[in-house]
Structures are given as C-alpha cells and as structure tokens.
Amino acid sequence: MSKRSYGQYCGLARSLDVLGGRWSLLVVRELLDGPARYNRLLEGLPGIATNLLAERLRELEQAGVVQRSLDADSNSVVYSLTPWGSELRGVVTGLVKWSTPLMISGPQSDTFQTHWLSVALSSLLDNKHTDEPRAVGLEVDGTLITVRTDKSGISIALDDDAQPETVLRAEPMVVLGLASGMLTAEQAIAAGEFRGNKKDLADALSPG
Amino acid sequence: MSKRSYGQYCGLARSLDVLGGRWSLLVVRELLDGPARYNRLLEGLPGIATNLLAERLRELEQAGVVQRSLDADSNSVVYSLTPWGSELRGVVTGLVKWSTPLMISGPQSDTFQTHWLSVALSSLLDNKHTDEPRAVGLEVDGTLITVRTDKSGISIALDDDAQPETVLRAEPMVVLGLASGMLTAEQAIAAGEFRGNKKDLADALSPG
DNA sequence: CCGCATCCTCATGGATACTG
DNA sequence: CAGTATCCATGAGGATGCGG
C-alpha cells in the first residue's frame, strides 16, 4: 500500500485509486478535448504546480489512462487518452450534469476558459436533436463556439471558421443556465446581446 | 479560496470541489445502499480516520449531498443522501463499470465486504432483463446475494430470506468477471462450487 | 457502547527556482 | 519547452480522550 491506495476490492475504490488524486480527473477533462502538449495542459489547468502535472501524467500513463507519444513534426511530447481513458467521457459528462446547481450560484471569481464550456455543452445537450439542421454560434469570452444540431444529435466546435447566422454574446452562466433548463429562453435572451435569430438560439440550447 | 477549491468555473471542477476530497465518494457509495449511522459507515470504510469521516460528513452535508436526521426509536443520528446526492448513482455506476480491468487483475490483499458487490452488480447488470423471472443466489464470503431478473430489469438484495433454487458459491472476482463479460459462463462455473442449476446462473449474470 | 474532538506525526500538495 | 529539485504549508492517518 505504498502509493496510498484505499485497499478495497471494490470498483469505485479502485477507480479512485487511479483517478482520485487531486487534478487527475481535470487532466482527463483536458485530454477529452484532444491530444495536448505539456504546456497546453498547464494553461488549461490554472493553479496546478508543474511537478504535480508531471506526476499525475506519469501516474495516469502507468495506469493505462494516458499515453505519451512523440509528434514527428515538432519533435515534442504529446499526451492523449488511451481507448480505456476515453471511456471516462461518460463519467465526466455525468459529473458535469450533476454540477448544474453548483454552476448557477457560487463564486464569481473563478477563472473561466472557453473550452471548458464545450465539455459542459456536450454533456448537457447530449440527447438533443432536431429535424432541420441548425448551426448556432455562441460568442463567450471572445471565442466563438458553434453548436450544430441535426437529427443524429449535436456537435460542439471551438475555433470554427463557420459563420453561423445566429450569434449569441453572453456570459458562461447564462449559456449554462439555458442549456441545463434552469433559465427559460426569455430569461437568457434578456440577459445577453444578440445578433440574428433569437428563436434559433433558444431552440438549439433548450434541452430536449 | 479558503477550503482549497480549484477556482474554475467548470462543472467538473465544481463537482470535484464537493466530491474530490479523499473518501468523499466512498461515503456516497455507502449511503447509496441506504441510510446509515456513523459506526456503520466506519465499518464500511476500513482505513478511514474517525475525524476524517466526521469532517467529510459535515462537508457533504453543507454542500447538500448528505442529510442528517434523528432516528426516533434509537434516538441516534442517521445519515442519508439528499435527492441531489442520490443522483450520483449514475456517476458511481459509471466508475464501477469503468473499473472492470482494474478488478480482474490487481492486489489480492485488498479487503472485501459483500455489500460492495451489490453496487457493482447493479452497475454491471443494469440493462439485464429476461422474459421469465429468475431469482439466483450468490454465496460470497458467507453472505447470500439474491439477483432477481424479470422483464422490467434486475434487482440485487442482500440478507434476503428468500431461498433461491440456484446458489453459487464463488469468489468476488469470479462473480465480477462473469457479470462484466470478461469470463465466459464455462470459465466461471469451472472456478466455483455450485448447487442447483448452473445454466440459470450463467443466464442471470451474463450481461445482456 | 456511540459520535465525535484533539493531538501528533508524516505523506502529499503547492509555489517557486532552476536545468537539459 | 518540458519538465526536475527544493522547500514550506496543508491534509491524511492513527491513537486517544470525552461527554452523552
């Protein structure tokens, strides 16, 4: 029991032996957005100490959650999730959904990064679908998020070059409130500046 | 940021602000089996320090995950999950499923308690159903677990007074291997002692 | 007994400096 | 850029005490 394990033959305990360390699941969250280099992870995890990130990456690699590879072009280390690690998406999604009450209230001083919203939106809207395909833009914190819905489901894209007709400029909390169903479309619209078609926006973001 | 928060406006980070502390999710696991008193929780969480359990219970209560009530009969404190706390079942289930590779191999020295198996079996078999209702018994570590399947789904019961026709006596790993599909029915049967109908057992525990 | 609170020790985490 | 080394602060673990 050197590396402080719970020492229990229980699925949850063994999962937490791997993922329960501080920052571990947040590292997984970053990598769910795709492979990333060390410094990119540092930026996405404000507050983490450099030694801790290195340690967590080593632990997760040894456990088989993360794999490191060498990018041929830049000749630098790239981290990504293994197939088994990618299966954590459902758990992360579940926690994001569960957190909705914590997002509506709570401290305003927390830092915010736009790509975190893409995880949250994927989670909250994951059973959303519409007969007519739509592409709606959200301008949050200077970044455009494109939400596409069709009958097969939804997809979230950051840094997309598409120019959707409808664009909402709003605060993260308003977007989350609308997506989680805790704000009505009218309340959300009243809280933001808009260009384009407001109804499209409400349709795209109201949970199915 | 007094009580070490991640300080991120992100659903996963805020969930972990509440649940990420050591032992926190294991406390939730214990309470998913039903309300419990302090000493019962201590027994179910071997290795936890008494002050830590008290602290975690206070934190979880303040966050709205756990509620404490006073049992009228025994005049003692009883802990249970709030409705919001109960919504963590899906997350716990997801982690238990994800942990399967960790359960097949790994240290044999870990402690084991039968009621942990009931969480795991509920998770692994949750989409199981059969046209003809069955009740199959598993004798593990001296305790009888009854697995009932019908067309509406499955239910797991501990300390049941029912006497199912089929009873398996097997090691936890064998039960989990069969339930997760990592062991075939033949391999599982070869590894255990049996009374009754082996086929019923394999049918009941093979994932649908 | 039950439900904690206190005290003490040591492992872990956090901040910063530094290096190939 | 991708980490390692170092040092200090904090939290976990274990024993014990204590009122109800």
Side-chain angles (χ1 to χ4, degrees), chain B residues 152-170:
Chain B
S152 71
I154 69 130
S155 67
I156 312 288
L158 249 78
D159 303 320
D160 205 36
D161 51 358
Q163 290 288 52
E165 288 184 14
T166 303
V167 172
L168 159 72
R169 182 179 302 136

Side-chain angles (χ1 to χ4, degrees), chain B:
Chain B
M1 212 186 294
S2 56
K3 208 189 116 297
R4 192 164 318 192
S5 153
Y6 287 109
Q8 299 181 2
Y9 189 69
C10 157
L12 181 63
R14 291 224 169 158
S15 294
L16 294 176
D17 284 343
V18 172
L19 304 169
R22 193 160 166 77
W23 296 103
S24 296
L25 257 185
L26 295 182
V27 171
V28 171
R29 173 198 71 192
E30 291 299 308
L31 293 177
L32 280 173
D33 268 355
R37 297 214 310 252
Y38 188 86
N39 269 339
R40 182 129 183 284
L41 293 175
L42 268 186
E43 292 166 22
L45 299 167
I48 196 174
T50 60
N51 55 353
L52 259 197
L53 176 56
E55 189 178 330
R56 289 292 114 91
L57 285 170
R58 244 182 285 124
E59 293 168 1
L60 290 172
E61 185 189 3
Q62 171 142 24
V65 178
V66 161
Q67 61 193 29
R68 65 164 66 203
S69 35
L70 212 60
D71 187 39
D73 301 333
S74 59
N75 199 32
S76 61
V77 184
V78 175
Y79 295 95
S80 56
L81 292 176
T82 64
W84 185 46
S86 300
E87 288 174 22
L88 285 168
R89 183 179 295 277
V91 171
V92 171
T93 287
L95 282 169
V96 169
K97 286 183 183 172
W98 183 81
S99 74
T100 306
L102 296 170
M103 300 302 282
I104 301 305
S105 64
Q108 298 297 328
S109 57
D110 285 1
T111 64
F112 170 74
Q113 295 189 19
T114 313
H115 74 279
W116 299 340
L117 250 190
S118 81
V119 178
L121 285 179
S122 303
S123 304
L124 294 169
L125 301 174
D126 65 356
N127 58 351
K128 183 112 188 110
H129 52 86
T130 55
D131 284 342
E132 323 141 41
R134 293 169 190 276
V136 176
L138 298 169
E139 188 185 325
V140 182
D141 213 41
T143 306
L144 184 69
I145 302 177
T146 307
V147 181
R148 292 173 209 283
T149 57
D150 57 27
K151 64 179 59 175
S152 71
I154 69 130
S155 67
I156 312 288
L158 249 78
D159 303 320
D160 205 36
D161 51 358
Q163 290 288 52
E165 288 184 14
T166 303
V167 172
L168 159 72
R169 182 179 302 136
E171 306 221 345
M173 204 172 95
V174 173
V175 176
L176 287 175
L178 184 50
S180 66
M182 301 198 65
L183 288 179
T184 67
E186 288 71 25
Q187 290 170 321
I189 287 171
E193 300 174 34
F194 293 83
R195 300 196 299 275
N197 186 336
K198 298 176 182 180
K199 185 176 177 308
D200 278 354
L201 177 91
D203 286 351
L205 283 186
S206 295

Side-chain angles (χ1 to χ4, degrees), chain A:
Chain A
M1 212 185 297
S2 56
K3 205 189 118 296
R4 193 166 315 193
S5 154
Y6 286 109
Q8 298 182 3
Y9 190 69
C10 157
L12 181 62
R14 292 225 168 156
S15 294
L16 293 176
D17 284 344
V18 171
L19 304 170
R22 193 159 167 79
W23 297 103
S24 297
L25 257 185
L26 294 183
V27 170
V28 171
R29 175 198 70 191
E30 290 299 308
L31 292 177
L32 281 173
D33 268 355
R37 298 213 308 252
Y38 189 86
N39 270 333
R40 180 128 184 282
L41 293 174
L42 269 185
E43 292 166 22
L45 299 166
I48 196 175
T50 60
N51 54 354
L52 259 198
L53 177 56
E55 190 177 330
R56 289 292 114 92
L57 286 170
R58 244 181 285 124
E59 292 168 2
L60 291 171
E61 186 189 4
Q62 173 141 24
V65 178
V66 161
Q67 61 194 26
R68 64 164 67 202
S69 35
L70 213 59
D71 187 37
D73 301 333
S74 59
N75 199 33
S76 62
V77 183
V78 175
Y79 295 95
S80 57
L81 293 174
T82 63
W84 185 46
S86 299
E87 288 174 23
L88 285 168
R89 183 178 294 276
V91 171
V92 171
T93 288
L95 283 169
V96 168
K97 286 183 184 173
W98 184 80
S99 74
T100 306
L102 296 171
M103 300 301 283
I104 300 305
S105 64
Q108 298 297 328
S109 57
D110 284 2
T111 64
F112 170 74
Q113 294 190 17
T114 313
H115 73 280
W116 298 341
L117 250 190
S118 81
V119 178
L121 285 179
S122 303
S123 304
L124 294 169
L125 301 174
D126 66 356
N127 57 352
K128 183 113 188 108
H129 52 84
T130 55
D131 284 342
E132 323 141 41
R134 293 170 190 275
V136 177
L138 299 169
E139 188 185 325
V140 184
D141 214 40
T143 304
L144 184 69
I145 301 177
T146 307
V147 181
R148 293 173 207 282
T149 57
D150 57 26
K151 65 179 58 174
S152 72
I154 68 129
S155 66
I156 313 287
L158 250 76
D159 303 320
D160 206 35
D161 51 0
Q163 290 288 52
E165 288 182 15
T166 302
V167 172
L168 159 71
R169 181 180 302 134
E171 306 221 345
M173 205 172 95
V174 173
V175 175
L176 287 174
L178 184 51
S180 66
M182 300 198 65
L183 289 179
T184 67
E186 289 71 25
Q187 290 171 321
I189 287 172
E193 300 174 33
F194 292 84
R195 300 197 298 275
N197 186 335
K198 299 177 181 181
K199 185 174 176 310
D200 278 355
L201 178 92
D203 286 351
L205 282 188
S206 294

